[in-house]
Amino acid sequence: MIRLEKRPAPSRLWTATTPLLAVLLTMIAGGLMFAMLGKPPFEAIRTIFWDPLFGEFAYYFRPQLLVKAGPLILIAIGLSLGFRAGIWNIGAEGQYIIGALVGGGLGLAVYPSDSIFLFPLMVIAGALGGFLWAMIPALLRTAFRTNEILVSLLLVYVAENLMASMALGLLRNPDGAGFPGSRNFQDYPAAFNEELIAGAGVHWGVVAAIIAVIFAYILLQRHMLGFQIKLTGQSPRAAVFGGVSPNRLIIFCLGVSGTLAGLAGLFEVTGPAGQITTDFNQGYGFTAIIVAFLGRLHPVGILLAGLLMALTYIGGDAAQLNLGLPSAAIQAFQGMLLFFLLGVDVLSNFRIRIGKGEVA
Amino acid sequence: MTGDQPLLKLEGLTKAYPGVIANDHVSFEVQPGEVHALLGENGAGKSTLVKMIYGLVRPDAGQMHLNGERFEPHEPRAARALGVAMVFQHFSLFEALNVAENIALGMENPPAQRDLAARITEVSETYGLPLDPARLVGDLSAGERQRVEIIRCLLQDPKLLIMDEPTSVLTPQEVEILFETLRKLSAEGTAILYISHKLEEIRSLCEGATILRLGKVVATCNPREKSARELAELMVGQTLHQPERSRAELGEVMLEVNGLTLPPATPFGTTLHDINLSVRSGEVLGIGGVAGNGQDELLAALSGEVTGTGQAIRMKGQPVGDLGPNERRALGLLAAPEERLGHAAAPDMSLTENALLTGWVREGLSNRGFLNWPKTRQFAERIIAEFDVRTPGPQNAARALSGGNLQKFVIGREILQRPDVLVINQPTWGVDASAAAAIRQALLDLAASGAAVICISQDLDELMEISDNFAALNAGRLTPARPASGLTVDEIGLMMGGAHDMEVAHVDV
């Protein structure tokens, strides 16, 4: 019989290789699923994983990859700090929306402006919006011990309604013939988050994501605060003994994740989305939770996981278009990836022993 | 029943865990009505052995017989059905429920509450274990909680009662009540398997003893025919050193607590009432008492984990009650809590990271928040070397260390930071005898070098060995300190609250 034996310490080798193994297993299981649907499995896998990176139209897909991955990574980095400390911000989607509304709203309020300071001010306003929205669950938790999971999650729905009301009311384009949605930022150069290198997909949000990865790495590896975050997550009592103030850490972690989510929202709405509409948010705030865990809450892992997640979205879209795969099959495929990633995780903490283990 | 037949017979019981053989061909017998001691250091395999008897763990090899019949319990319920009952060291009781409800929860077919209450009262009177079935468990002392567990077992009418370190939570007077009960049970024919490392108790209570060392039976004897020292040396496998103290003159008052009153942080915590103490340079102040009487709360108030005590706590004259742990560390007030894994150290972090946990303030391990890992590693290596911590290296996780080694690391970490005052809770709990001796010696050396030491412990022998002055903590109140030399066991017991204000019920013999 097969037994699992707990390792004394997690295996570094397996921790590094399980993601690759999971991708491989996903390809096999996904290929079987595509074959059962009557689609060519190898071509489907190639369309999802290979073509966007190295195929004929890669020049189109690669920038898209960065555009998708940028906000995911930026949000996931912020979330990962809190998740490491056992502080669960599930409402990044709401902070993302509020960041976009506050920052975008600032730009629209002064329309038309051509000040070069406008965009930086909008960035600050977006960050502040996300920060303040995240402070609601943070302060409620520190003052009244409410559950930050519920509060932050429910505030997403509040934010979504605010967004719809803004798109239909206060921020509606006055020249838009009554259609819902704000002015388009593409037609508003001082407030537009344009590509830094034409055709590369790199906008300020992607730059911010890379900076966030580097800062998070230094924070966690080299700084006392990063140590305290890890300590609090592993052993809250030891953290208090070590002088960590739990309330300050809650404010810090929720504040950082709210700020980064707000930034992501601002960069998205003034760039790729281009417009505040009733539903410009694309669920990045929720997907980022998955990205954070796929990346094992490690900054470099999150960078890779964000890119992988973006790849499955873009490749999945391409497979739907080119091969006529149903979108449910693509979602199932993404689900398999998550399933296998978490499933093979057992190998880093356990050793598999085959053989008889018990004496009757 | 059947003359000479042993009640319980173990033959060649073996159980291995990854990397360690917990029990290696253990064989012994327990006769009906016998009080049999299972003696050994922590990690000798006592717990694994009784877990096999109680059906919690299945042996890899070997056989058990109960009353001559093959005995292979697959789960505790099967063991209980055959008359084996066990009182664990850590109680499994719900504090928000009353005594009768707690007992009903552990029964297969609980009778109606009223009938059960009547039976509880009946059993408790028969065996001299006073207990009110209607009281809330959260309000009971540790000794009373143990009675709940014992009565829960007795209601099943057991043939074999296993008791795991039952006296570690009791005052000397409560121990006497317990022993009366156990002797009465034994006289009625119930066998008792008594796990302990307290040798004097075993000599007064038990008729037979099996001594385990590193999973093997090293001796079977009648403990009454051996001296405590002989038993200890059998248990440890080497001769023991007594800690030596070099008397230092007591200096100025280092830490002073005046009228400290503190409500508990948790619903069933203990309120500290009007605590007064002072400890001088060179002094070891021993604080005795049964666990759960405010030890954790007192340590947290002194370490700075709980603040807001304002002027009540003064370090060298300066009020520190509102300072956090790291600010107090900077002033020289260091602490080592009881719970090693999860409080004094983070289980999954390396020893280097755990050295950083309390060491970064005084050892200068960070510069404007940026960590100096090489220096931290050196600090961890210094602790490992100077306190003889057995581990492959500082990169190892704290949970990979044995209890004694981790405790040496935790205590070494604080002592190497040259504290002016060290507050320590249960320094040798669950630590093997040789490590315990080393820890006590280190505490004495620290005091001799001019520091003040407050040692909170349940182990009275330990406190008598190292303390200059002794005070007892009982229900959140601290007695005035008295010189430790010359205190008798009875006096100590009374300081600890006697039998917690409970009359010794009549035992019908």
Side-chain angles (χ1 to χ4, degrees):
Chain A
M1 70 179 256
I2 301 173
R3 283 185 303 146
L4 288 176
E5 201 177 280
K6 194 155 170 53
R7 295 177 191 271
S11 155
R12 277 172 187 265
L13 177 72
W14 278 113
T15 306
T17 50
T18 45
L20 294 175
L21 184 65
V23 170
L24 199 70
L25 288 169
T26 311
M27 286 182 180
I28 295 169
L32 281 173
M33 177 179 73
F34 295 144
M36 283 193 288
L37 289 168
K39 307 288 177 190
F42 292 102
E43 207 184 327
I45 301 286
R46 203 195 65 213
T47 309
I48 295 173
F49 283 108
W50 184 263
D51 285 354
L53 291 172
F54 309 107
E56 197 184 341
F57 300 106
Y59 66 88
Y60 169 76
F61 287 123
R62 280 188 214 151
Q64 284 298 308
L65 201 61
L66 291 181
V67 167
K68 280 260 184 217
L72 288 176
I73 294 168
L74 190 58
I75 301 170
I77 288 285
L79 294 179
S80 71
L81 297 180
F83 290 173
R84 282 206 175 212
I87 297 160
W88 306 101
N89 178 6
I90 305 300
E93 184 77 3
Q95 294 136 25
Y96 170 93
I97 292 171
I98 298 297
L101 289 181
V102 174
L106 172 68
L108 295 170
V110 298
Y111 180 86
S113 160
D114 52 6
S115 165
I116 52 160
F117 298 112
L118 179 60
F119 189 67
L121 281 175
M122 286 165 66
V123 171
I124 292 170
L128 202 64
F131 173 81
L132 291 175
W133 203 247
M135 275 307 104
I136 301 173
L139 295 176
L140 286 175
R141 160 124 188 224
T142 52
F144 303 111
R145 304 181 62 82
T146 56
N147 183 317
E148 78 279 11
I149 300 177
L150 289 175
V151 177
S152 64
L153 177 64
L154 293 179
L155 280 171
V156 172
Y157 305 109
V158 177
E160 280 178 347
N161 280 304
L162 262 173
M163 163 179 72
S165 132
M166 287 292 163
L168 295 171
L170 197 58
L171 297 180
R172 173 149 55 178
N173 183 357
D175 308 330
F179 281 103
S182 71
R183 287 179 197 278
N184 199 314
F185 287 97
Q186 278 180 11
D187 309 327
Y188 186 6
F192 183 51
N193 173 22
E194 63 188 334
E195 275 188 295
L196 298 172
I197 307 163
V202 180
H203 60 71
W204 281 111
V206 176
V207 176
I210 293 166
I211 294 174
V213 168
I214 295 168
F215 266 85
Y217 185 83
I218 294 172
L219 180 77
L220 289 171
Q221 299 295 324
R222 308 284 319 205
H223 200 274
M224 197 66 208
L225 192 57
F227 175 72
Q228 292 184 334
I229 286 172
K230 289 189 270 184
L231 184 62
T232 304
Q234 289 193 9
S235 198
R237 271 186 92 192
V240 173
F241 178 60
V244 179
S245 154
N247 283 347
R248 267 163 46 191
L249 206 66
I250 288 166
I251 300 224
F252 174 81
C253 288
L254 280 169
V256 168
S257 54
T259 302
L260 294 185
L263 279 176
L266 180 274
F267 289 128
E268 189 68 17
V269 82
T270 56
Q275 198 185 10
I276 294 170
T277 59
T278 52
D279 54 357
F280 72 86
N281 63 319
Q282 300 188 20
Y284 280 132
F286 290 119
T287 311
I289 298 171
I290 301 170
V291 170
F293 278 102
L294 275 187
R296 291 164 200 286
L297 307 180
H298 187 283
V300 178
I302 287 169
L303 180 70
L304 298 174
L307 290 170
L308 180 67
M309 205 64 172
L311 183 64
T312 65
Y313 274 113
I314 287 164
D317 282 351
Q320 276 183 54
L321 276 172
N322 298 349
L323 302 170
L325 274 169
S327 68
I330 299 297
Q331 283 169 14
F333 186 76
Q334 287 164 345
M336 280 180 191
L337 180 62
L338 257 182
F339 170 81
F340 282 117
L341 266 161
L342 298 176
V344 294
D345 211 27
V346 83
L347 291 174
S348 34
N349 284 311
F350 291 88
R351 185 175 286 152
I352 293 179
R353 282 283 158 91
I354 298 172
K356 267 173 76 93
E358 274 176 304
V359 175
Chain B
M1 232 183 297
T2 35
D4 304 319
Q5 191 181 48
L7 175 76
L8 177 73
K9 184 174 180 189
L10 309 184
E11 284 172 301
L13 275 193
T14 299
K15 177 74 195 175
Y17 289 110
V20 58
I21 299 180
N23 285 139
D24 189 359
H25 294 91
V26 172
S27 308
F28 65 89
E29 293 175 359
V30 180
Q31 306 301 327
E34 180 187 356
V35 185
H36 191 96
L38 196 55
L39 194 61
E41 290 201 275
N42 283 90
K46 297 172 302 204
S47 298
T48 307
L49 188 63
V50 294
K51 279 182 188 163
M52 290 195 281
I53 300 172
Y54 195 54
L56 282 165
V57 171
R58 291 182 68 187
D60 293 338
Q63 293 186 354
M64 293 187 275
H65 288 90
L66 192 70
N67 275 326
E69 307 221 350
R70 192 72 184 268
F71 177 56
E72 289 171 349
H74 292 274
E75 52 173 354
R77 211 175 344 170
R80 283 200 295 267
L82 291 169
V84 176
M86 179 158 174
V87 176
F88 289 88
Q89 193 177 2
H90 300 285
F91 307 142
S92 43
L93 297 174
F94 293 94
E95 296 188 321
L97 297 181
N98 72 27
V99 170
E101 286 162 342
N102 263 291
I103 288 177
L105 276 175
M107 298 175 83
E108 307 297 337
N109 298 305
Q113 280 287 313
R114 202 167 355 124
D115 302 343
L116 183 62
R119 285 218 52 205
I120 291 169
T121 311
E122 181 194 324
V123 171
S124 78
E125 278 170 6
T126 317
Y127 291 98
L129 294 167
L131 194 63
D132 176 357
R135 276 183 74 195
L136 216 57
V137 166
D139 299 333
L140 300 182
S141 75
E144 290 168 311
R145 288 179 198 210
Q146 186 182 54
R147 284 177 208 159
V148 180
E149 294 273 8
I150 294 174
I151 287 174
R152 172 144 78 186
C153 290
L154 294 185
L155 285 173
Q156 306 162 24
D157 212 0
K159 313 246 176 340
L160 174 68
L161 180 62
I162 305 171
M163 303 208 72
D164 189 359
E165 307 251 356
T167 58
S168 59
V169 296
L170 303 182
T171 63
Q173 280 82 353
E174 286 175 323
V175 170
E176 264 319 302
I177 301 177
L178 175 68
F179 281 11
E180 283 301 320
T181 307
L182 295 183
R183 287 191 185 108
K184 181 169 165 55
L185 278 170
S186 149
E188 288 176 356
T190 306
I192 292 157
L193 189 56
Y194 187 89
I195 303 174
S196 181
H197 59 247
K198 294 191 180 168
L199 306 166
E200 288 301 340
E201 281 177 7
I202 284 174
R203 292 187 62 236
S204 83
L205 184 70
C206 304
E207 296 135 32
T210 298
I211 301 172
L212 288 180
R213 185 163 76 229
L214 300 175
K216 289 185 182 157
V217 175
V218 291
T220 306
C221 61
N222 182 342
R224 289 172 187 164
E225 292 164 1
K226 302 269 185 191
S227 74
R229 191 175 183 86
E230 281 172 311
L231 290 175
E233 291 184 356
L234 279 171
M235 199 163 89
V236 182
Q238 59 188 20
T239 48
L240 285 173
H241 302 278
Q242 287 286 330
E244 299 159 22
R245 57 198 319 183
S246 48
R247 280 252 145 255
E249 284 296 305
L250 299 192
E252 64 201 280
V253 172
M254 300 295 268
L255 183 78
E256 218 179 342
V257 177
N258 285 311
L260 171 68
T261 296
L262 195 64
T266 54
F268 290 102
T270 307
T271 304
L272 296 178
H273 296 283
D274 193 24
I275 302 271
N276 295 292
L277 65 86
S278 79
V279 59
R280 298 148 77 95
S281 164
E283 176 183 351
V284 178
L285 171 66
I287 296 183
V290 171
N293 273 295
Q295 284 89 342
D296 286 347
E297 287 81 359
L298 180 60
L299 183 113
L302 295 178
S303 72
E305 288 163 86
V306 172
T307 54
T309 48
Q311 305 285 320
I313 302 173
R314 285 168 180 273
M315 170 90 185
K316 294 184 246 179
Q318 180 188 347
V320 296
D322 293 326
L323 302 182
N326 286 326
E327 290 159 302
R328 296 194 198 187
R329 285 187 183 112
L331 291 171
L333 172 53
L334 272 54
E338 171 185 8
E339 183 86 42
R340 289 181 286 266
L341 282 175
H343 193 179
D348 288 314
M349 286 192 159
S350 69
L351 294 180
T352 304
E353 288 169 298
N354 274 303
L356 182 69
L357 177 66
T358 67
W360 65 285
V361 184
R362 285 176 81 79
E363 293 296 307
L365 302 178
S366 75
N367 180 11
R368 290 187 204 162
F370 284 92
L371 302 170
N372 187 340
W373 283 118
K375 200 171 169 187
T376 308
R377 196 185 155 89
Q378 280 169 20
F379 178 50
E381 278 167 351
R382 205 151 60 86
I383 301 168
I384 291 168
E386 292 194 21
F387 284 82
D388 187 29
V389 179
R390 311 270 165 83
T391 173
Q395 72 283 357
N396 259 43
R399 73 176 149 100
L401 268 65
S402 73
N405 275 314
L406 185 57
Q407 185 71 346
K408 284 195 278 188
F409 182 85
V410 165
I411 289 175
R413 178 180 71 186
E414 306 307 327
I415 289 181
L416 283 187
Q417 296 179 48
R418 305 165 314 280
D420 292 324
V421 178
L422 178 64
V423 186
I424 185 162
N425 192 4
Q426 315 295 358
T428 60
W429 187 86
V431 168
D432 62 73
S434 51
I439 288 169
R440 287 174 198 150
Q441 186 66 58
L443 292 177
L444 288 173
D445 293 346
L446 177 69
S449 73
V453 177
I454 297 179
C455 178
I456 305 171
S457 178
Q458 293 183 60
D459 186 339
L460 294 176
D461 299 337
E462 166 173 282
L463 290 180
M464 289 305 108
E465 195 174 298
I466 65 172
S467 309
D468 298 295
N469 291 303
F470 176 86
L473 195 58
N474 179 30
R477 294 171 201 277
L478 189 72
T479 65
R482 295 169 62 174
S485 60
L487 276 182
T488 66
V489 172
D490 273 347
E491 286 171 319
I492 293 169
L494 288 174
M495 286 172 82
M496 285 166 63
H500 284 281
D501 307 326
M502 307 217 41
E503 271 187 43
V504 181
H506 262 293
V507 179
D508 317 298
V509 180

